Amino acid sequence: MKTPFYKLSRLFAGWIILLGILCCCALWFFVFTNRKLSVQGAFESSVRLWENNFALALLNNDRITVGELSRSLANDNLPFIQVSKDGMVTHFYPEAWDLKDCATPVMVPISRYGLPIGRITGCLSNKHILKESILSGPSLLIVAIMVLLVAGGALRMLSSYRKSLLQVIRVLEEWSKRPEKSLPKSTQLLRNDKIYDRLIALVQAGISNYLEAQRAKEELKAGRALSVMAAQVAHDIRSPLAALDSVMSGLSQAPEEKRIIVRSAIARIHDIANNLIDKHREASASQTSPVVAGQMKEPPSIQLLSSLIDPLITEKRMQFRSRINVGIYARFNSLSYGVFANIQPNELKRALSNLINNAVEAIPERGTVAISIVPHNESVRITVEDDGKGIESEVLSKLGNAGVTHGKEGGSGLGLFHARAAVESWGGKLEVSSIVGKGTTVTITLPKTMPPEWFVSELSFFPNSSVVILDDDTSIHQTWQGRFNSTGLFNKGITAFHFSTAQELSNWVTKSKPPPNVLYLIDYELIGEHATGIDIIESLKIANQSILVTSRYEEKHILQSCQRLHMRLIPKSMAGFVPITVAKPLPRLDCVLIDNDPLVHLYWNSTAAEHNKNIKTFLHPSEFFACAHTLDKSTPLYIDVDLGQGIRGEHIAREGFEMGFHEIYLATGSAPSELNTELPFLCGIRGKTPPWQSNCSPETELKGARVQQRFKIK
């Protein structure tokens, strides 16, 4: 007998399930909304952090800097960025998109000194935010609560329906024993052959799905075993690598070319070992959290493409030296010099290594493989071209997909697939073109980036100046001499001095006491020398006149030392391609301004033209130091106190004084009482007003001048 309590319990169980689902949906919506607001807040904070940089770039119409800043703002939650100035859209990232198509735009205005300049608009990815919300901790807790509620309600309902289910099963058993004619027509349908066939098909499908799940489980176990083995291999080669590093440190007497080859090969083995370990960590992390696995990848960085690819080509020549009829060439020229891209260096080398391997294997007997770097507008194209068998058009359209390969026994097609995925993750694209019987060309197109401050875009000499080369490799001296001859430097009164040891250079500097317009090109690593090129430069106090020419330019400690000394670099492999020019001598300047604000530059230049003043302005101290040796040391220097990026004007003033400039002022909006006016290398502190319009207090200037006469900087 069904009591009222029995009916009430069944009704209550249904309401538990419904209430649980509604509560969980409401909580999920709350988590999603909160996540969305946090993404908007993070975007606005990032824009405010870079607001000054955006404003300067928009004022200067610097599209490259705007693009770099936009790329730094974009992420999975905000994949599309739009930059506008004066109501007109000036830049899209990563591609053009319409604001009308964006469901949730976030607009942040850009201003400078209270004046509106432009606007940054980001398009929220609701799909990705929802995905992150679902995978977050609160959401998982909500899922657990919902499962408990639904399970409790379902168990309650099943227990209440248990007797009814048993009765139905008993009736079906009885019907199955009775003759078909004695059954009602409605129940005869249950014994129809077609229905049985469908039931059998459903059972078979269930069994097939179960077997597929078991197969996937076995493959996962095999992948884990392979990952562990890769980690073990990477661990086992650490010891021989350490031995190779030790041997490499003792090869200081070996020729430069051999040292570069050995160092590059050891670096590649290190990269492979690190990559094996990273793959193992990613595989382990992906079993628990795909987000953590994605964060473990090598972060992109700004890289000089020519110097990154050149050692790889040398390595490939060594690898395929048994194929004497196959030539591997680098088609680099002056256009290839100074091309940078924001990439993952190890991933690019891995992709190009695979492409070169494919190109060599496509050549049956004799042929060539050529690698080139060609800038094109705001992008750069890296091509790997061979004159092998070529690829049929039917296969060509499918290349780049996982599992599609051509002409390689046992090939999986994963090499080209991963290369395309990596290139696209950097904002580029990979294209393959081929003609059967003539060859194949693979083109990688990447966005160009601005060169870093340490990089020398060109060597500019003034007439009647000098250049000094210190290097232990005679071929480098021949390279520079040939470059100077071909550009006609010696016809302009420029003199070159060549030295092979630090002692020779030191003796020449001590004896000749060269003028400050001498440019020094110095190697970092010298045979038989304990001191490095940087040590020699510091001991001779010629950092502001020196450029380090080394094959080890990418090492962090070398870059940090160069940044500390405000010194620039040229990769040694690119010495044959750096542009060389002869500049016209600069006229006598009335003053030099070093300030990181373009508006101040505009004001000084406009008033200088009105007063017939000849001035030169620099946005960054490195620009000033690059040509300081060409300036008359009696030229007054006006330096801002805060030059951005932690650079203080007082430090730049001291370095200018040590270079021979003696009329140095701090040009700042701060009051003199807030600054140290006792610095002996300062003539005074002025405001932002140009000196020909200034009403600066003479006492402030004379105080610094008197102190300067009493003290000497050591």
Side-chain angles (χ1 to χ4, degrees):
M1 180 178 178
K2 298 180 179 179
T3 62
F5 177 76
Y6 171 76
K7 295 181 180 179
L8 182 62
S9 65
R10 289 172 58 183
L11 181 63
F12 180 67
W15 277 108
I16 287 177
I17 296 175
L18 180 62
L19 183 62
I21 294 174
L22 291 176
C23 289
C24 290
C25 291
L27 289 172
W28 249 329
F29 179 76
F30 172 76
V31 172
F32 170 72
T33 305
N34 186 57
R35 176 62 181 164
K36 191 173 179 179
L37 291 175
S38 66
V39 171
Q40 292 180 4
F43 175 69
E44 293 175 359
S45 300
S46 299
V47 173
R48 292 299 172 213
L49 181 64
W50 295 95
E51 182 175 12
N52 189 49
N53 302 72
F54 266 115
L56 294 177
L58 288 174
L59 287 171
N60 294 328
N61 293 321
D62 188 350
R63 294 180 57 83
I64 295 177
T65 302
V66 172
E68 288 298 313
L69 293 172
S70 301
R71 185 180 292 108
S72 65
L73 289 176
N75 53 51
D76 292 336
N77 293 324
L78 271 154
F80 299 103
I81 303 295
Q82 184 187 93
V83 182
S84 58
K85 175 185 177 184
D86 299 330
M88 299 294 292
V89 177
T90 62
H91 187 82
F92 293 97
Y93 179 81
E95 57 188 13
W97 57 278
D98 194 344
L99 190 61
K100 298 178 182 177
D101 298 332
C102 181
T104 312
V106 182
M107 303 180 184
V108 182
I110 297 296
S111 61
R112 184 169 177 81
Y113 300 135
L115 299 176
I117 294 176
R119 184 181 67 191
I120 311 296
T121 304
C123 183
L124 286 178
S125 174
N126 291 330
K127 181 178 178 181
H128 193 271
I129 295 175
L130 179 61
K131 180 180 178 182
E132 285 192 348
S133 301
I134 293 174
L135 294 175
S136 63
S139 295
L140 296 177
L141 180 61
I142 292 170
V143 170
I145 295 172
M146 184 176 73
V147 170
L148 290 174
L149 289 174
V150 173
L155 289 174
R156 185 61 184 164
M157 291 184 68
L158 286 174
S159 63
S160 64
Y161 281 107
R162 182 173 177 275
K163 292 183 179 180
S164 300
L165 290 172
L166 292 174
Q167 291 177 359
V168 171
I169 293 172
R170 195 178 301 113
V171 170
L172 290 175
E173 290 177 350
E174 291 177 358
W175 282 352
S176 64
K177 297 176 182 178
R178 293 170 60 183
E180 188 173 346
K181 292 183 179 180
S182 63
L183 294 174
K185 291 184 177 180
S186 58
T187 59
Q188 291 179 14
L189 295 174
L190 295 173
R191 301 180 67 173
N192 191 296
D193 291 340
K194 293 183 178 180
I195 294 179
Y196 279 123
D197 291 341
R198 292 184 61 189
L199 289 173
I200 292 172
L202 289 173
V203 172
Q204 289 177 341
I207 294 173
S208 177
N209 291 337
Y210 172 77
L211 293 175
E212 186 67 28
Q214 289 296 111
R215 191 180 300 109
K217 189 176 181 180
E218 293 297 327
E219 290 178 357
L220 180 60
K221 289 182 180 179
R224 291 175 182 171
L226 184 62
S227 173
V228 172
M229 183 178 68
Q232 186 62 43
V233 171
H235 176 269
D236 291 343
I237 65 176
R238 291 292 188 187
S239 295
L241 267 179
L244 284 174
D245 287 332
S246 177
V247 172
M248 180 62 202
S249 63
L251 291 179
S252 59
Q253 302 297 326
E256 176 80 11
E257 183 179 359
K258 292 186 177 180
R259 276 183 284 162
I260 293 174
I261 293 174
V262 175
R263 189 185 300 117
S264 175
I266 293 175
R268 282 276 287 155
I269 298 173
H270 273 295
D271 293 341
I272 293 170
N274 293 334
N275 181 63
L276 286 172
I277 293 177
D278 291 342
K279 292 293 185 185
H280 168 64
R281 291 173 179 169
E282 288 179 19
S284 301
S286 62
Q287 296 169 15
T288 56
S289 172
V291 176
V292 174
Q295 291 175 349
M296 300 179 72
K297 293 183 178 179
E298 175 191 21
S301 57
I302 297 176
Q303 297 288 329
L304 178 60
L305 296 179
S306 52
S307 290
L308 192 69
I309 297 172
D310 188 62
L312 177 64
I313 296 174
T314 302
E315 178 187 326
K316 288 300 171 183
R317 288 175 185 151
M318 298 290 291
Q319 177 183 342
F320 293 105
R321 61 184 179 273
S322 60
R323 300 285 304 271
I324 57 176
N325 293 324
V326 176
I328 303 176
Y329 303 103
R331 291 180 179 171
F332 295 165
N333 53 33
S334 59
L335 296 177
S336 308
Y337 179 80
V339 180
F340 287 80
N342 193 29
I343 57 167
Q344 296 161 292
N346 290 334
E347 285 293 333
L348 179 64
K349 287 190 286 187
R350 188 177 300 113
L352 288 175
S353 176
N354 182 69
L355 293 176
I356 295 173
N357 291 346
N358 293 343
V360 173
E361 292 167 2
I363 299 174
E365 294 181 2
R366 62 174 63 243
T368 60
V369 177
I371 300 93
S372 61
I373 303 173
V374 180
H376 180 72
N377 296 332
E378 298 300 320
S379 61
V380 56
R381 293 174 179 172
I382 305 171
T383 61
V384 179
E385 184 178 359
D386 67 73
D387 53 4
K389 296 177 293 186
I391 305 172
E392 296 83 359
S393 58
E394 297 79 9
V395 180
L396 188 63
S397 59
K398 301 177 183 178
L399 283 180
N401 299 324
V404 179
T405 185
H406 177 263
K408 290 179 66 175
E409 295 183 4
S412 62
L414 293 178
L416 191 59
F417 171 75
H418 287 308
R420 172 166 287 172
V423 170
E424 289 177 353
S425 70
W426 305 326
K429 60 181 179 179
L430 185 147
E431 300 171 306
V432 183
S433 60
S434 183
I435 300 176
V436 177
K438 292 189 176 181
T440 302
T441 301
V442 181
T443 303
I444 296 175
T445 304
L446 298 169
K448 279 198 307 186
T449 57
M450 291 290 291
E453 293 179 1
W454 56 260
F455 183 71
V456 178
S457 298
E458 69 171 13
L459 284 177
S460 181
F461 295 93
F462 285 86
N464 303 316
S465 60
S466 300
V467 57
V468 174
I469 299 97
L470 172 62
D471 203 296
D472 57 7
D473 189 348
T474 55
S475 65
I476 294 297
H477 289 278
Q478 294 169 359
T479 298
W480 285 123
Q481 191 72 14
R483 295 295 314 282
F484 298 155
N485 285 328
S486 62
T487 53
L489 287 187
F490 302 129
N491 297 330
K492 304 291 184 179
I494 298 172
T495 307
F497 298 90
H498 295 267
F499 301 103
S500 299
T501 66
Q503 189 61 45
E504 292 175 355
L505 174 62
S506 179
N507 293 339
W508 179 81
V509 171
T510 303
K511 182 179 179 180
S512 302
K513 296 182 180 179
N517 64 344
V518 175
L519 178 64
Y520 297 86
L521 303 175
I522 297 182
D523 187 15
Y524 175 80
E525 191 176 32
L526 300 169
I527 291 179
E529 300 277 358
H530 294 292
T532 66
I534 293 178
D535 297 332
I536 296 168
I537 290 170
E538 286 193 274
S539 65
L540 296 177
K541 298 181 180 180
I542 53 174
N544 293 320
Q545 304 164 245
S546 298
I547 295 175
L548 198 66
V549 184
T550 176
S551 57
R552 301 172 60 177
Y553 78 95
E554 77 282 357
E555 297 182 20
K556 289 185 179 180
H557 68 97
I558 295 178
L559 289 175
Q560 291 171 353
S561 297
C562 288
Q563 291 171 353
R564 173 175 57 84
L565 297 172
H566 301 290
M567 187 168 57
R568 297 178 297 160
L569 279 166
I570 295 177
K572 184 171 285 190
S573 60
M574 294 291 105
F577 304 107
V578 56
I580 297 177
T581 60
V582 178
K584 295 180 180 179
L586 291 175
R588 172 69 167 79
L589 297 176
D590 292 297
C591 74
V592 166
L593 171 69
I594 306 175
D595 197 300
N596 64 336
D597 192 339
L599 294 178
V600 175
H601 285 229
L602 180 63
Y603 177 49
W604 279 55
N605 285 320
S606 61
T607 57
E610 294 174 359
H611 291 78
N612 295 320
K613 299 293 184 181
N614 185 20
I615 71 171
K616 190 169 183 62
T617 58
F618 300 95
L619 283 170
H620 195 275
S622 62
E623 300 174 357
F624 165 72
F625 289 125
C627 65
H629 63 279
T630 66
L631 302 178
D632 190 331
K633 297 304 180 286
S634 63
T635 305
L637 304 184
Y638 295 86
I639 307 172
D640 188 16
V641 171
D642 185 2
L643 294 169
Q645 301 177 350
I647 302 175
R648 297 291 299 177
E650 299 94 321
H651 301 158
I652 305 303
R654 174 187 287 273
E655 294 186 35
F657 183 82
E658 293 175 348
M659 292 181 66
F661 294 91
H662 297 291
E663 190 175 351
I664 305 175
Y665 302 89
L666 291 180
T668 175
S670 303
S673 58
E674 301 175 5
L675 303 170
N676 183 7
T677 59
E678 298 293 336
L679 295 175
F681 45 81
L682 290 180
C683 288
I685 300 175
R686 294 176 174 269
K688 293 283 187 176
T689 306
W692 48 87
Q693 292 184 338
S694 175
N695 293 320
C696 179
S697 171
E699 289 77 13
T700 304
E701 298 177 25
L702 291 176
K703 186 176 183 180
R706 287 196 297 270
V707 174
Q708 181 175 313
Q709 292 174 0
R710 292 201 305 266
F711 294 93
K712 292 184 179 180
I713 302 298
K714 297 184 179 179

